[in-house]
Structures are given as structure tokens and as C-alpha cells.
Amino acid sequence: VQLVESGGGLVQAGGSLRLSCAASTQTFSSYDMGWFRQAPGKERDFVAAINWSGGSTYYEESVKGRFTISRDNRRDMVYLEMGRLKPEDTGVYYCAASTGMGVTPREYDYWGQGTQVTVSS
């Protein structure tokens, strides 16, 4: 499974961004998907996850109500809509695929290269 993220950039606090992740696999709908982020000098942290059908989602507490994860199994895509962005949301955002909807990096088997999100104050 190959994953390619896009949509990162520089945005002011309070603004919005939409991240996309394109998957290269014929079995995309069999994977649960997650988004993680990593700030400089910090560990890679869970942001959001969605199950294979899109019927179940889970969010890290600090992004609840601001971020929305979704997927399109016809297009092999997963998205992260980010709103009311804060400077502490800054980091490299990674898309990941798993056979189980976990919240730790070790539970995910495939990773993209990441896309930088920078939120200025």
C-alpha cells in the first residue's frame, strides 16, 4: 500500500485546511485509516481515525469539533478537514493504513511521506 498526502501549507490561526491522502491499493476499503502529526522534536501523535466503511470515527481530544476525517472508497482517498486551526496544530501530518482502528503509530502498517502544516499566530 502506497500513501501520498497533499494539501498542507501555511495558514493563519483560525483558518482552515483540507488534507488529502491518496492510496495505491486495490483493497483500500479493507483498511482502517488514520492521521497522525509530528511536531519538531516531538513524538508522532494520533489525530483521527476512520474505520474501513467510514461508519466509525475517533478523534484526539484537542481536535474534536475542529477536525473531520472522511474517506471515499470509490476513489481510494481519505481526507482531514481542519478548521479553527491553532499554532499548536503545526507539524508534519501523516496518513496511515491499518487492519485495526488504533490510536498508536505501532498499530499502523503503512505510512505516507507526510505533508507540512504550519499555523501562524
Side-chain angles (χ1 to χ4, degrees):
V1 179
Q2 291 186 320
L3 304 171
V4 179
E5 302 95 335
S6 61
L10 173 64
V11 64
Q12 288 188 332
S16 301
L17 278 176
R18 186 196 198 204
L19 304 184
S20 299
C21 173
S24 297
T25 174
Q26 294 183 340
T27 59
F28 177 71
S29 61
S30 67
Y31 290 95
D32 298 327
M33 301 296 295
W35 286 96
F36 289 76
R37 65 186 176 192
Q38 188 166 19
K42 296 189 176 182
E43 295 183 348
R44 193 169 295 188
D45 292 328
F46 171 76
V47 175
I50 189 166
N51 77 330
W52 64 274
S53 70
S56 179
T57 58
Y58 187 74
Y59 297 92
E60 191 272 327
E61 193 65 32
S62 71
V63 308
K64 283 183 180 178
R66 299 190 298 123
F67 291 11
T68 302
I69 188 171
S70 62
R71 66 190 295 162
D72 185 340
N73 285 347
R74 295 171 300 174
R75 295 182 171 84
D76 296 345
M77 297 288 295
V78 63
Y79 306 99
L80 186 68
E81 296 272 4
M82 305 187 295
R84 290 184 282 147
L85 283 161
K86 304 176 182 180
E88 51 264 43
D89 294 319
T90 293
V92 178
Y93 281 69
Y94 297 91
C95 170
S98 172
T99 54
M101 199 169 90
V103 298
T104 63
R106 69 177 66 181
E107 295 174 273
Y108 287 78
D109 305 300
Y110 303 98
W111 293 84
Q113 83 290 347
T115 186
Q116 176 70 45
V117 172
T118 303
V119 184
S120 63
S121 58

